[in-house]
Amino acid sequence: MNASSTSLRTKVIAVGVATAIVALMVAFFIVGSLGSKSNLKNQRIEDMATAKVLASHVGTPPMLVNLDSFHQLLIAEKQHVSVRTASGTFDLGVPIEKGVALTDATVAIKGGVLTVTSAIDSSLDPPIEFVYVALAVLLVVLASVSIADRTMNRETRERVESAVRAAERVSLGDFSVRVGGGGPEPIARLGRAFDTMATRLESFDRDQREFLADLAHEVATPIQALSGFAQAALDGTVSKDVAQSMIESQTSRLSELLDELTQLRNIDAPYNAEREDVDIEEICRTLYQEFSTVAHDAGVVLDYQCEHMSLRTDRRLVETVLRNFLTNAFRYTPSGESVSLRGEMVHDHAVLSVRDTGPGIAPEHQQRIFDRFYRTEEARDRISGGTGLGLTIARSAAFSLGGHIELDSAIGRGSTFRLVVPMGSEAPEPGERGGSESMNH
Ligand code: ADP
C-alpha cells in the first residue's frame, strides 16, 4: 500500500471519529442545558413550598424556636432560611458558599419576610440510557468508517494490481491490454492515462509492422527484377540492352529507397540548416525542368509560376520539401490532369506550393499522412506507391527551415501542399520542433 492511500485512509478515519465526537458533545450539551433548566424550575417550586410551610409556623412575633422542630424535617442540606423583621434577623441551615448558583423563594410574614435559598447543582449527570445510546452511535459510526475504508482500500489495491499486470503485458509487447477508468478518482485517472499510452503504442507498433512489411516488399520487388533480368540476359531470353536498361532502373529504385531511409534516420537528429542566399525562382525553374519528363510520361500537364525572390535559407531542404510534394503529385494524379508549382511572397513569408487536380485526400487522413509510415488504403494499392516517408521527411525539413507545411485538399477536388517559410527566419531550437497548428504541419 502506498503513502497516499495510507494517508487517505487515516483522513477518512480521523474525519469519522471527529464527527462522532462532535455529535456526542453537541448531544451532551443539549441534554445538559435542558436538564439544568428543569432542575431550576423544580428547585424554585420546592423552595416556595418550604417557605410557605415555615411562614405558617414562624409565629407572631416570628421566633426561631417555633421553626426548630421543622429544621430536620423540611430544610435540606443545601437550603438556607433567613427571617427578617423590624426587630431582628435569624437564620436556619448552613450558610451557602459564595459563587454557587442560587435560587430563592420569599414569602411575607407578619412584620417581615421569610426567604428560602437553595444552591443549584449545575453539574448534570446525563441519564445512563443516554450514555448507552451515545456509545452505540459512536460504535456504529466507527464500524461504518472502518467498513468503508476497507472497501475503498480493497478496490484501490485491486485496480493497482490490475494496472501492474497490464504494464507487465505491455513490457512484453502486448499493446492490446487496457485497464479502464474505474475506482477512486486518482486511480481512475491513472487508468485512463495508461490506456491512452497503450493505444498510442499499439498504433505505433502497427505502423512499424506495416512499414517493415512495405519495406520488405519495396526491397524484394527490384531485387527479384534484377536477378530475373540478369538470368534472362545470361540465357539470351532478352537482349543485353533491354536487360541493362531494366537493371539500371531497378538499381535506381533501390538507391531511392536507400536515400529515403537515410533521410528518415536523420529526421530525429538535430539538423543544422546551412543558410545561404537562395534564388527561389531558380529553384522552381530547376524543379520544373527536372519533373517535365515525369509529367510528360504520366500524361499530366505541369506548369510553374514563381516570383523573383531571394531567401536566406537552406537550398537543399527547400528542394527536399518541394521534391516530395511534386513526387506525390505525379504519383497520385491521373493522366489528363494538371500539376502547378507556385512561388510567391505573402506578407513576410515565402510560400512555395504544389497544386494538383488529382483525387484529393479525405479529411480523416489529412492529419495522419504526415505521420511516419502512414499511407492511405488507396495509396497502398498502387503499384508505384512510396513508403509513407515522403511527407514525414518534408515536415521535418520544414521545421528545420523554421517554417511549416499547410494542406488544402478535398476528395475529387485535388490537393495543394504549401511550404511556408518566414523571410529571414532562423532555424528553430531543438525542442521547438513539432509546434504546428491544426491544419499546419
Ligand atoms: P508515400 O511515399 O506513400 O507517397 P508520403 O508520406 O509522401 O508517402 O504520403 C503519405 C500519403 O499521403 C500517401 O500514401 C498518399 O495516400 C497521401 N498523399 C500524399 N500526397 C498526395 C496527393 N498529392 N494526392 C493524394 N494523396 C496524397
Side-chain angles (χ1 to χ4, degrees):
M1 198 192 334
N2 63 23
S4 85
S5 82
T6 311
S7 88
L8 184 70
R9 190 181 171 199
T10 314
K11 274 185 202 160
V12 168
I13 293 177
V15 168
V17 171
T19 313
I21 289 173
V22 169
L24 215 56
M25 281 166 62
V26 169
F28 261 99
F29 176 76
I30 292 170
V31 172
S33 87
L34 286 176
S36 62
K37 270 187 189 155
S38 79
N39 207 26
L40 188 73
K41 202 173 154 199
N42 291 342
Q43 192 61 52
R44 275 216 182 100
I45 293 167
E46 204 182 302
D47 286 352
M48 184 53 81
T50 309
K52 280 180 180 165
V53 173
L54 292 177
S56 64
H57 291 90
V58 72
T60 311
M63 289 208 309
L64 180 60
V65 69
N66 293 341
L67 298 181
D68 266 351
S69 52
F70 297 96
H71 191 176
Q72 298 299 328
L73 203 62
L74 283 179
I75 301 171
E77 198 186 319
K78 288 191 175 171
Q79 268 183 332
H80 181 82
V81 178
S82 90
V83 178
R84 279 187 211 91
T85 60
S87 56
T89 301
F90 61 84
D91 293 292
L92 271 178
V94 187
I96 295 172
E97 292 163 33
K98 282 194 175 165
V100 173
L102 298 174
T103 172
D104 55 37
T106 302
V107 292
I109 52 172
K110 277 208 177 130
V113 288
L114 182 146
T115 303
V116 176
T117 309
S118 296
I120 302 289
D121 187 0
S122 58
S123 71
L124 178 82
D125 290 337
I128 192 68
E129 291 82 357
F130 176 77
V131 175
Y132 290 152
V133 169
L135 277 176
V137 169
L138 188 61
L139 281 176
V140 168
V141 170
L142 281 176
S144 332
V145 167
S146 161
I147 289 169
D149 172 55
R150 273 163 193 269
T151 311
M152 216 160 81
N153 212 18
R154 197 181 55 232
E155 202 180 350
T156 303
R157 207 172 43 239
E158 280 168 3
R159 308 267 334 140
V160 169
E161 274 165 12
S162 107
V164 168
R165 281 195 301 276
E168 281 166 1
R169 282 175 61 186
V170 167
S171 74
L172 294 173
D174 176 5
F175 303 123
S176 64
V177 62
R178 300 287 181 275
V179 292
E185 183 48 25
I187 302 292
R189 279 210 335 261
L190 178 71
R192 287 194 292 270
F194 181 94
D195 287 354
T196 307
M197 178 195 75
T199 305
R200 290 210 181 124
L201 284 173
E202 192 178 26
S203 148
F204 186 69
D205 182 56
R206 195 174 43 238
D207 287 347
Q208 290 267 32
R209 284 169 200 271
E210 285 173 5
F211 168 67
L212 282 177
D214 286 349
L215 190 59
H217 179 74
E218 290 291 323
V219 173
T221 311
I223 285 179
Q224 276 165 6
L226 278 173
S227 83
F229 278 108
Q231 189 60 47
L234 286 175
D235 297 348
T237 329
V238 292
S239 72
K240 282 200 173 155
D241 286 349
V242 172
Q244 187 183 346
S245 109
M246 292 314 293
I247 286 169
E248 275 170 5
S249 100
Q250 295 306 325
T251 311
S252 93
R253 194 174 166 187
L254 272 176
S255 73
E256 251 177 59
L257 189 60
L258 193 62
D259 183 46
E260 281 214 325
L261 288 171
T262 310
Q263 289 186 55
L264 175 65
R265 197 194 61 197
N266 291 334
I267 285 176
D268 292 326
Y271 183 83
N272 294 322
E274 288 168 18
R275 284 164 199 279
E276 57 183 317
D277 289 327
V278 177
D279 181 348
I280 297 296
E281 204 270 336
E282 195 246 316
I283 289 188
C284 291
R285 195 173 350 105
T286 310
L287 286 171
Y288 170 76
Q289 283 160 359
E290 186 182 320
F291 279 87
S292 288
T293 324
V294 183
H296 181 264
D297 293 348
V300 172
V301 179
L302 171 65
D303 72 289
Y304 91 97
Q305 211 177 335
C306 198
E307 288 177 21
H308 281 284
M309 56 179 153
S310 175
L311 200 61
R312 186 145 190 87
T313 190
D314 186 313
R315 182 192 180 97
R316 200 172 67 91
L317 287 180
V318 173
E319 284 179 352
T320 299
V321 177
L322 292 179
R323 225 176 242 122
N324 273 302
F325 290 171
L326 284 164
T327 304
N328 281 342
F330 288 110
R331 188 176 278 156
Y332 301 110
T333 304
S335 159
E337 299 292 339
S338 63
V339 172
S340 315
L341 173 62
R342 294 273 178 278
E344 55 197 324
M345 252 193 12
V346 180
H347 304 300
D348 289 344
H349 293 77
V351 180
L352 304 170
S353 58
V354 173
R355 178 174 180 276
D356 66 63
T357 56
I361 301 161
E364 65 270 23
H365 296 306
Q366 289 185 16
Q367 286 288 337
R368 299 203 64 195
I369 54 171
F370 291 87
D371 292 348
R372 270 183 195 178
F373 319 126
Y374 189 82
R375 302 169 71 205
T376 61
E377 287 303 322
E378 298 79 9
R380 280 174 200 286
D381 294 343
R382 291 179 64 91
I383 303 162
S384 60
T387 57
L389 298 176
L391 290 176
T392 315
I393 291 166
R395 181 176 60 175
S396 177
F399 282 128
S400 292
L401 290 168
H404 65 269
I405 292 172
E406 292 174 359
L407 167 62
D408 280 336
S409 186
I411 289 288
R413 303 218 335 253
S415 310
T416 304
F417 286 87
R418 282 186 216 96
L419 167 65
V420 181
V421 187
M423 305 293 273
S425 65
E426 291 300 323
E429 293 297 319
E432 286 177 41
R433 291 160 71 112
S436 58
E437 291 165 23
S438 60
M439 283 314 290
N440 296 345
H441 304 275

